[in-house]
Amino acid sequence: MPLIHSTDPDFRVCQISFDALIAIQLEAERRGWATRWSSVDALRSQVRDSAVVLQSLMREE
């Protein structure tokens, strides 16, 4: 995987809701993409239920 630098057009950091993070996790599970968490339960146990900052590492679909 190529590295993305803060000066690259693909670099993005945004604030999202916890529900949006869960939706991203579920979509990734559905499509068989690699995810940071093994399940939504794992995500809930490791991330506080509040707004989170997400750094997007891949191009958006």
Side-chain angles (χ1 to χ4, degrees):
M1 176 186 333
L3 294 176
I4 297 175
H5 302 283
S6 61
T7 56
D8 294 340
D10 291 330
F11 180 82
R12 218 174 106 181
V13 176
C14 54
Q15 185 174 345
I16 63 170
S17 69
F18 188 72
D19 289 338
L21 184 60
I22 290 175
I24 291 168
Q25 172 72 21
L26 290 172
E27 178 73 6
E29 287 178 17
R30 187 180 71 77
R31 293 178 179 240
W33 292 342
T35 59
R36 173 63 180 87
W37 297 276
S38 56
S39 67
V40 170
D41 289 335
L43 187 157
R44 286 184 190 278
S45 72
Q46 296 174 27
V47 179
R48 185 175 32 166
D49 187 356
S50 64
V52 295
V53 176
L54 177 72
Q55 177 182 352
S56 180
L57 297 176
M58 301 295 289
R59 290 182 184 265
E60 293 179 22
E61 184 177 71

